[in-house]
């Protein structure tokens, strides 16, 4: 009876040693990824320059197409902020006109008004967006 557990232990150890000496499988070759070419980022879209006409007489004899009304504003949100700027309102108006594919704006009016909801004072410029055929 003593020989049986001894034989089973020897058999168990022999079986474990056979599994450890088996041939390991070689690792699969790793495919190297080639770096993808870097695409240049597109340049930011800048609005086209827009000419400002302050007087309709400057357009007499020049062919143009009216693209619609355009406006720009600058807001002073409370009394302690910097005052609204007519220049900033005019620039925003010209930028909006360029997005309409206009190359000129005929200025109708620029003024500073008060009592606008959300603004202590507001500068507003309004005009007509034009597509002028320059000679």
């Amino acid at each position: 009876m003593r020989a049986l557990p001894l034989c089973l232990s020897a058999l168990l150890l022999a079986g474990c040693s056979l599994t450890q000496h088996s041939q390991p499988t070689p690792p699969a070759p790793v495919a190297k990824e080639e770096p993808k070419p870097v695409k240049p980022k597109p340049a930011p879209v800048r609005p086209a320059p827009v000419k400002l006409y302050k007087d309709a007489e400057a357009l007499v004899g020049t062919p143009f197409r009216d693209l619609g009304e355009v406006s720009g504003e600058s807001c002073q949100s409370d009394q302690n902020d910097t005052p609204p700027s007519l220049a900033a309102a005019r620039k925003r108006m010209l930028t909006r006109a360029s997005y309409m594919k206009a190359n000129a704006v005929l200025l109708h009016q620029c003024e500073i008004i008060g009592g606008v909801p959300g603004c202590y004072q507001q500068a507003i410029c309004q005009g007509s967006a034009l597509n002028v055929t320059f000679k």
Side-chain angles (χ1 to χ4, degrees):
M1 266 313 197
R2 286 185 178 176
L4 186 61
L6 206 61
C7 288
L8 286 175
S9 297
L11 189 59
L12 183 64
L13 289 175
C16 287
S17 66
L18 287 177
T19 58
Q20 289 179 354
H21 292 298
S22 65
Q23 290 277 344
T25 57
V30 178
K32 293 183 179 178
E33 290 186 26
E34 292 185 24
K36 295 179 183 177
V38 177
K39 294 180 183 177
K41 292 183 180 179
V45 177
R46 294 185 183 205
V50 178
K51 185 173 182 179
L52 180 66
Y53 289 96
K54 295 182 179 181
D55 188 13
E57 290 180 16
L59 290 167
V60 173
T62 305
F64 66 88
R65 192 176 76 186
D66 189 345
L67 301 176
E69 294 292 314
V70 67
S71 66
E73 57 279 325
S74 174
C75 178
Q76 177 185 7
S77 55
D78 64 37
Q79 191 173 7
N80 297 326
D81 283 346
T82 58
S85 167
L86 288 174
R90 197 169 26 252
K91 184 175 180 180
R92 288 186 180 121
M93 177 183 65
L94 294 174
T95 301
R96 288 182 181 152
S98 72
Y99 290 131
M100 295 171 65
K101 306 290 187 220
N103 60 5
V105 170
L106 175 60
L107 181 65
H108 297 299
Q109 67 180 13
C110 277
E111 62 184 349
I112 296 179
I113 57 174
V116 178
C119 293
Y120 178 72
Q121 283 187 326
Q122 186 175 28
I124 298 178
C125 289
Q126 296 174 331
S128 293
L130 307 174
N131 193 348
V132 177
T133 305
F134 294 105
K135 295 180 183 179

